[in-house]
Amino acid sequence: MTGSTRGPNDPRRRERILDAALDVIAEHGAIKVTFRRIAEAADVPLGSLTYYFDDMQHLLTDAFTRLAETVSTRYGALLDAARTRQEAEEAVVEIICGKVWGTDRNLLLSYELYAFATRNPEVRAVMRSWMRASRDSLARHFDPLTARALDALVEGFSIHNSVDPRPTDREEVAAVVRAVVDRHH
């Protein structure tokens, strides 16, 4: 590690550490994250991590919170922009088929978040908050049961399409979204 030429008052250091933590999680998995790997990826002294984070649980919780907020903001913005039910349906299709996740890395990180959350109550709270935000965005346009079904559809299609050799295309996704919405109205 080169140490860091950035001074101790670096205002972006904490965010850089969190971004580096997400990079390390994406590369090695949450189970193999260490303070040393994160410090090297962030190009900060190892002691910087303990200055900002009491322990690894705190660091991972904050890193996963950062991921959830990033994706949730994109998700919510698409639904907020919708003015009609049809536009809301189109927004759901865009969330599934477009780049709401931003990158395949973020989708991979969401898998890590799910897996890590099953064993870590603090991180489970992050996951629940993300789900609540997604459903709240959907509930602006759809009844609660439809919002819940569409949220599960978004997650399911995103996961399946990331590994399927023949991902469900946009037209097929739109047909399924329409069927879910029509079924509940």
Side-chain angles (χ1 to χ4, degrees):
M1 178 170 65
T2 61
S4 180
T5 56
R6 297 165 187 96
N9 296 324
D10 178 0
R12 293 255 322 124
R13 182 174 281 182
R14 186 176 187 283
E15 289 75 21
R16 220 172 44 256
I17 291 169
L18 292 174
D19 289 339
L22 291 171
D23 289 342
V24 172
I25 293 165
E27 185 175 346
H28 300 283
I31 198 83
K32 293 188 176 181
V33 171
T34 65
F35 276 140
R36 184 170 307 286
R37 280 183 170 153
I38 294 168
E40 288 172 1
D43 190 27
V44 298
L46 190 55
S48 291
L49 275 69
T50 55
Y51 175 78
Y52 292 105
F53 305 99
D54 303 334
D55 55 26
M56 185 59 74
Q57 183 75 32
H58 179 197
L59 195 158
L60 290 175
T61 300
D62 285 7
F64 280 131
T65 299
R66 186 168 173 83
L67 169 72
E69 288 171 353
T70 299
V71 176
S72 191
T73 298
R74 289 187 194 117
Y75 191 117
L78 279 169
L79 286 158
D80 286 348
R83 296 291 164 242
T84 66
R85 171 149 322 207
Q86 182 178 350
E87 287 178 3
E89 288 177 27
E90 291 167 5
V92 172
V93 173
E94 179 59 23
I95 289 166
I96 295 167
C97 298
K99 283 294 178 190
V100 169
W101 294 100
T103 62
D104 291 340
R105 169 188 170 274
N106 283 352
L107 187 57
L108 172 64
L109 286 168
S110 73
Y111 301 161
E112 289 288 335
L113 172 56
Y114 271 112
F116 200 72
T118 61
R119 293 180 180 87
N120 296 275
E122 297 89 350
V123 179
R124 198 171 309 133
V126 173
M127 189 76 240
R128 288 181 178 144
S129 175
W130 188 357
M131 289 170 56
R132 194 169 34 258
S134 299
R135 290 178 188 165
D136 288 350
S137 293
L138 288 160
R140 291 185 195 111
H141 304 282
F142 306 102
D143 66 84
L145 182 59
T146 302
R148 189 177 190 103
L150 290 172
D151 189 42
L153 196 66
V154 166
E155 298 283 336
F157 266 133
S158 297
I159 291 168
H160 285 215
N161 282 349
S162 73
V163 296
D164 195 326
R166 192 192 82 66
T168 307
D169 70 27
R170 188 177 281 270
E171 276 185 30
E172 293 167 326
V173 168
V176 173
V177 168
R178 224 175 358 268
V180 168
V181 171
D182 289 349
R183 173 81 173 98
H184 293 105
H185 288 98

